Amino acid sequence: MTIHTDNLLESVLESLDRVDYIRASEIPDIDLYMDQVTSIMEERLRSSVRHPDTDKILTKTMINNYAKNDLLPPPEKRKYSREHVLLLIFIYYFKGFLSMGDISTLLSPLTEEYFHNDGHELSLQEVYEMVFSMESGRVLEVKEDLKAAYERAENIFAHVEDDEEREYLQKFAFVCILSFDVYMKKMMIEKIIDAMPERETQTKKKREKKQGEPNT
């Protein structure tokens, strides 16, 4: 996601217009091998990374680590379902600002209730689609917030005479305003997660049960 500094606000807003998500209908409704999963994620989310030429969206090592940390149910016969991919998308967005432990706390109930649970009122795919359907409206709200923050950052150092110094201070102020928003929201998210009841994942329960069984 490239931001040009010649017209910072306009460039930022244009970048937000390019923000998109992977729709469930775009994920094949067949089980996929790991290479196919990483290819889908790379293809659809490449435009959202800071350094498109070098940043990794998803690797085999990442997937294996998520499974080891109970963030992702194990594949069936080395293949991953559409629901596996949906969970990987959630993990991708959360990992930028949450710890693996927090992500596990947040996603464990979702996985236990909706992953491959045909008898539930809602499917994991329906939950995913309902959550991401809020995206377009939220982008408009964020754009308005950005405009207001940018105007405050411009005004606070408008009196500085040196053009180069004023431009730097205004950008610095803009980053500080955005960073404070991120800090506050991250703190609220962590408090919400801390208030969630502790729940063991089904994967962890099954593993402990298996470990406790006598060897035959």
Side-chain angles (χ1 to χ4, degrees):
M1 184 180 294
T2 303
I3 302 295
H4 300 289
T5 58
D6 52 346
N7 192 333
L8 183 61
L9 180 60
E10 182 179 340
S11 184
V12 169
L13 297 178
E14 288 177 353
S15 295
L16 286 179
D17 288 334
R18 294 193 295 271
V19 171
D20 200 1
Y21 69 98
I22 303 177
R23 289 159 180 79
S25 59
E26 296 172 336
I27 304 169
D29 194 19
I30 57 174
D31 291 345
L32 305 170
Y33 286 108
M34 187 180 290
D35 286 340
Q36 294 172 305
V37 173
T38 57
S39 294
I40 290 174
M41 296 284 282
E42 285 285 337
E43 179 184 345
R44 294 296 287 112
L45 296 175
R46 174 56 48 191
S47 62
S48 68
V49 300
R50 184 178 183 182
H51 304 294
D53 294 334
T54 57
D55 290 351
K56 297 293 184 182
I57 301 292
L58 185 67
T59 65
K60 294 180 181 180
T61 301
M62 290 178 188
I63 294 177
N64 289 331
N65 284 337
Y66 299 154
K68 289 178 182 177
N69 287 281
D70 296 324
L71 298 180
L72 190 72
E76 297 179 6
K77 297 180 181 179
R78 301 177 64 185
K79 287 189 174 183
Y80 297 83
S81 66
R82 174 184 282 178
E83 293 187 329
H84 279 106
V85 179
L86 297 179
L87 288 173
L88 285 168
I89 296 169
F90 279 123
I91 294 170
Y92 171 76
Y93 286 114
F94 289 142
K95 72 176 184 178
F97 55 94
L98 291 178
S99 68
M100 290 294 105
D102 282 342
I103 297 175
S104 177
T105 300
L106 193 58
L107 290 185
S108 290
L110 189 72
T111 303
E112 292 174 19
E113 292 292 334
Y114 304 107
F115 186 84
H116 288 178
N117 190 350
D118 296 333
H120 203 284
E121 181 181 357
L122 290 173
S123 67
L124 180 58
Q125 178 174 327
E126 289 172 322
V127 173
Y128 174 89
E129 290 173 337
M130 292 171 74
V131 168
F132 280 94
S133 68
M134 300 183 292
E135 177 205 27
S136 58
R138 184 62 190 133
V139 169
L140 293 175
E141 294 172 2
V142 171
K143 289 173 74 171
E144 292 304 314
D145 289 343
L146 283 173
K147 291 176 184 178
Y150 188 79
E151 184 177 348
R152 290 198 300 270
E154 275 196 320
N155 291 338
I156 195 170
F157 289 112
H159 65 282
V160 177
E161 295 183 1
D162 183 85
D163 291 343
E164 186 174 343
E165 180 182 1
R166 182 177 62 255
E167 182 180 354
Y168 163 74
L169 290 173
Q170 288 172 335
K171 288 179 180 177
F172 178 76
F174 189 37
V175 170
C176 287
I177 293 171
L178 299 181
S179 298
F180 187 60
D181 287 349
V182 172
Y183 170 77
M184 289 193 298
K185 290 176 181 178
K186 183 174 182 290
M187 184 172 61
M188 287 187 286
I189 290 170
E190 291 172 342
K191 287 186 177 298
I192 293 170
I193 292 174
D194 289 342
M196 290 181 171
E198 293 186 7
R199 297 176 62 170
E200 293 182 305
T201 64
Q202 294 295 333
T203 302
K204 186 175 181 181
K205 290 178 182 178
K206 291 178 182 178
R207 181 188 304 158
E208 291 178 348
K209 181 179 180 181
K210 186 175 181 180
Q211 289 173 346
E213 293 176 351
N215 294 327
T216 56

